Amino acid sequence: MVMSNNAVAQDQARFWQLFVQAISGHLPGSDPKNFIAAAGRVDSHLGSDEEVVALTDAYNVGNTIPSWGLTWSGAFNNKLFDIYQQWVRDIVPAGSGDSGSGGSSSGGGSADPLDTQIEDLRSKIALLSSDVSKINQGIYSDWLNEVCAELDSTGKACSVYFTNPPDPTWANFRTQQMGTEDYKAKVESLQTTYGALLGGMTEQLNALLLKKFGPGYQELADATEAVALADPFEPHSADELQKTAQFQMTIKENDTTASVPRFKTSELKDVRQWLIKQNGIATKNGGPLFAEQANVQIALNDQQQTERDSSWKFSANVGIPIDWFWLGGSTNDSGSTQFKEDYSYDILITYQDVITVNINPGDWFFEGLLSTYKDYTNWPQGSMFAGKPLWGESGLMNVVVKGVVLGYAPYLRFSSKDWTNTTTQSQWSAKATFGIGPFNFESASASGSDYSSMTTQLQDGFEVRDTSGIPKIIGLIVDTPNG
């Protein structure tokens, strides 16, 4: 029976809450209010023996701003570093008497000599920064022309590639271009000339702004310098290049390595040891521990007490509609159909074990600034933040990932007293795109993100046994640092 979103939310909110609470109960110190469940199969390589491979996963997860909701589809949405970097740059006092930082102003209007010096330096820095970005933008445009069949609505990214994955990949294409004489000549010019100039002018600008706005500006100056050092696409002077190791990290992109803004996690060794232990248990027992043998178990059925409150509230205190069953898309796809079975059913979801891995932005992330400037409105003309919310359901930086929850050997058993007449049975038999909680069953075109190949039909339902030995991301630990 197809139901309205509100009816589904009211009837099934309790199920998601039970799932989250059950997982959190096995993670000491984990608050279920800050838990976003993964609504699909998301493989994790945080336990890889290759450091750059493990750090790649840490970077991808930490650098994403997930869509607002209790469930995360696994998609990497807006990038934390890019938005935060632009936010820091846009919030730097724009040369007016109102700094917005609480620092004192030395006064003066637009005719003030100090203001004139500041604006002159700003213009020169903007010009140099534009020259830097144009090189990378040009290479990216050339790559899109080669691999993209259809651009997205922004015209700046690809929604449909000629091949999946694209051939060549962006990493490989960029590596090829970096080897050309034309690229080398441009970069050498930027690094030897613009790099030193940009560093020198930034230092001058910070000194002038500090003089104008007082000591309250110092933290913004430090943040501006930090995000510049973390950006691998910006040219740096020789002195700055010695500092970048603190702000940048190396990850694996396909067959090449790349420098990206640093994210911190000190627990990768623990993840490797945990994975070795779980694989050892599976080997000893002739396979992973599933169902009633598993360490983490979540039992759900249509007899569970439902709650009248149709929303789940976490740290930002904004209600989020919940669904459990979904059909024809993903849980965050507005075109999907959500449904509830008319017949009684039982669901058992288990994991052999779970573990939490902390992932935090690097030293370039000044979390205190987010609280200080959460109500800032004095944006420069053309700023992407002007007139747009920074926080909340449609905010540009609604939540920040602080950790990831991994699950080993996912298992699902669905049974119903009238299995042959259920919507689930018809969708499962037709190999259609549908899902039950964190398990999604994609059509063949979904290229490997499904559990379909791991399912077995039972007399009154079906079960899923994941024997891959690859941990799955089953949730994100998030925070709203503006509070």
Side-chain angles (χ1 to χ4, degrees), residues 5 16 52 62 73 130 151 162 210 244 255 267 272 330 335 349 351 356 375 421 434 471:
N5 283 353
W16 266 124
V52 291
S73 68
S130 175
L151 294 173
F162 290 124
L210 183 60
T244 55
D255 296 326
E267 303 171 353
R272 286 195 292 269
S330 62
I349 295 174
Y351 299 91
T356 300
D375 300 319
N421 291 320
F434 76 106

Side-chain angles (χ1 to χ4, degrees), residues 300-438:
L300 306 167
N301 59 62
D302 62 327
Q303 303 303 311
Q304 293 281 3
Q305 179 183 358
T306 59
E307 296 208 349
R308 292 181 180 179
D309 185 359
S310 63
S311 300
W312 176 264
K313 299 193 178 2
F314 63 109
S315 55
N317 291 321
V318 175
I320 303 162
I322 311 305
D323 59 88
W324 183 262
F325 296 99
W326 52 274
L327 173 66
S330 62
T331 53
N332 65 347
D333 180 0
S334 59
S336 67
T337 301
Q338 298 153 334
F339 64 93
K340 170 184 174 294
E341 293 290 3
D342 288 328
Y343 307 95
S344 62
Y345 56 86
D346 285 278
I347 298 172
L348 178 65
I349 295 174
T350 72
Y351 299 91
Q352 180 173 293
D353 201 16
V354 295
I355 188 174
T356 300
V357 188
N358 290 331
I359 296 175
N360 291 284
D363 293 340
W364 49 266
F365 189 70
F366 285 47
E367 189 165 300
L369 289 179
L370 300 177
S371 298
T372 302
Y373 292 92
K374 63 181 180 181
D375 300 319
Y376 188 80
T377 58
N378 189 27
W379 301 110
Q381 185 176 4
S383 170
M384 65 183 291
F385 303 103
K388 294 183 179 179
L390 196 65
W391 313 109
E393 185 172 0
S394 57
L396 296 174
M397 200 188 304
N398 46 49
V399 291
V400 174
V401 175
K402 292 299 184 75
V404 59
V405 179
L406 303 183
Y408 185 90
Y411 172 86
L412 165 69
R413 184 172 67 212
F414 177 93
S415 60
S416 174
K417 293 179 181 177
D418 198 354
W419 163 245
T420 57
N421 291 320
T422 62
T423 306
T424 306
Q425 193 275 344
S426 61
Q427 296 300 319
W428 183 82
S429 300
K431 300 187 186 309
T433 299
F434 76 106
I436 297 177

Side-chain angles (χ1 to χ4, degrees), residues 212-229:
K212 179 176 176 61
F213 295 104
Y217 172 71
Q218 186 60 55
E219 191 175 17
L220 277 173
D222 293 341
T224 303
E225 180 182 6
V227 294
L229 288 169

Side-chain angles (χ1 to χ4, degrees), residues 81-121:
F81 177 78
D82 292 346
I83 290 183
Y84 172 81
Q85 178 188 48
Q86 192 60 51
W87 181 79
V88 168
R89 288 174 170 174
D90 284 3
I91 213 168
V92 171
S96 66
D98 179 14
S99 73
S101 67
S104 61
S105 170
S106 61
S110 58
D112 190 313
L114 190 57
D115 283 341
T116 302
Q117 294 179 63
I118 289 172
E119 291 308 313
D120 182 52
L121 277 172

Side-chain angles (χ1 to χ4, degrees), residues 430-469:
K431 300 187 186 309
T433 299
F434 76 106
I436 297 177
F439 290 77
N440 61 325
F441 303 89
E442 301 283 2
S443 61
S445 62
S447 66
S449 64
D450 67 280
Y451 282 104
S452 300
S453 62
M454 302 177 185
T455 61
T456 302
Q457 183 165 358
L458 306 174
Q459 183 176 356
D460 59 352
F462 70 96
E463 68 176 2
V464 180
R465 293 172 176 259
D466 187 333
T467 60
S468 67

Side-chain angles (χ1 to χ4, degrees), residues 123-192:
S123 298
K124 291 179 179 179
I125 289 173
L127 181 63
L128 293 184
S129 298
S130 175
D131 287 340
V132 173
S133 63
K134 283 177 182 177
I135 294 179
N136 293 297
Q137 289 172 1
I139 294 175
Y140 189 72
S141 295
D142 291 342
W143 176 69
L144 286 180
N145 289 334
E146 185 167 332
V147 302
C148 186
E150 183 178 331
L151 294 173
D152 68 5
S153 58
T154 68
K156 298 178 181 179
C158 189
S159 60
V160 179
Y161 292 99
F162 290 124
T163 61
N164 193 9
D167 183 23
T169 64
W170 162 237
N172 289 340
F173 185 83
R174 184 169 176 268
T175 299
Q176 294 167 7
Q177 295 302 307
M178 288 170 64
T180 65
E181 293 303 318
D182 178 60
Y183 179 86
K184 290 179 181 178
K186 291 178 180 177
V187 170
E188 285 178 8
S189 175
L190 287 172
Q191 288 179 337
T192 57

